[in-house]
Amino acid sequence: MILSHRLLAEALGTAFLLIAVVGSGIMAANLSDGNVALALLANAIATGVALYVLITIFGPISGAHFNPAVTMVFALKREIPLPHAAAYILVQITAGILGVWLAHVMFELPILQASTTTRTGLSQWVAEVVATFGLVITILAGIRHAPSQVAALVAAYITGAYWFTASTSFANPAVTIARAFSDTFAGIAPVDVLPFIAAQIVGALLALGATRILYAEER
């Protein structure tokens, strides 16, 4: 597949992922009448459903990474050249921010925002390590054992991880950066972004190491 086509798929997929995350968060907050649990449930379901669709339609083109941590893992596995991985990551971050801005436009909010939602502390960072570890191992094991079900596996995992992680499972540096540009239900304060990304990278590397141990005999 031509690189430009793959980058376009990554751009569209990441943008729509952020539209789903932020847009459903705004809608959920507007309609839940202050019930945070109900808002989170709506946000999780919308994100999971959108992920299933996006991975299904864009996976055959670009691999449907939509996530710099995932791209990093495939680069370390030498399944994507480093220059292509760098292009993927740049596109993912840029498209994620554009997706947030489009969500703001749809809901008649100021386009340019900075989140004021504090998400910091050991519990949040550990949650992001766990969330990203689970996501990456789901992808790698899914590709190996059930490649036709990867979209469903990732969608199901993220929907569940919204609820069983203290951080609500960002598990994605591009998503984390983009959500810093939205002072809405899904936002994260800019000062909290770098620790989240560091935790996500740790989780992704641990997942890569775990799969290498699990499948050492097969290699």
Side-chain angles (χ1 to χ4, degrees), residues 85-177:
Y88 265 45
I89 290 170
L90 179 61
V91 163
Q92 291 157 358
I93 293 171
T94 304
I97 295 170
L98 291 175
V100 167
W101 289 346
L102 283 169
H104 292 166
V105 171
M106 288 194 298
F107 288 93
E108 299 184 333
L109 297 175
I111 296 174
L112 299 179
Q113 303 181 22
S115 177
T116 57
T117 301
T118 299
R119 299 178 189 266
T120 189
L122 182 62
S123 65
Q124 296 284 300
W125 304 331
V126 171
E128 279 304 292
V129 172
V130 171
T132 312
F133 177 91
L135 172 63
V136 172
I137 206 165
T138 296
I139 293 168
L140 296 180
I143 289 171
R144 182 176 293 267
H145 298 300
S148 65
Q149 298 180 44
V150 169
L153 291 170
V154 172
Y157 174 79
I158 289 296
T159 302
Y162 259 73
W163 284 87
F164 67 70
T165 61
S167 62
T168 66
S169 188
F170 284 45
N172 183 331
V175 165
T176 305
I177 292 168

Side-chain angles (χ1 to χ4, degrees), residues 24-74:
S24 66
I26 296 168
M27 180 69 83
N30 289 344
L31 299 179
S32 63
D33 196 25
N35 187 327
V36 178
L38 181 60
L40 182 62
L41 178 62
N43 194 205
I45 292 172
T47 301
V49 170
L51 264 175
Y52 177 80
V53 174
L54 294 171
I55 294 170
T56 299
I57 64 175
F58 293 124
I61 301 171
S62 69
H65 295 188
F66 314 147
N67 185 335
V70 173
T71 299
M72 176 192 72
V73 166
F74 281 103

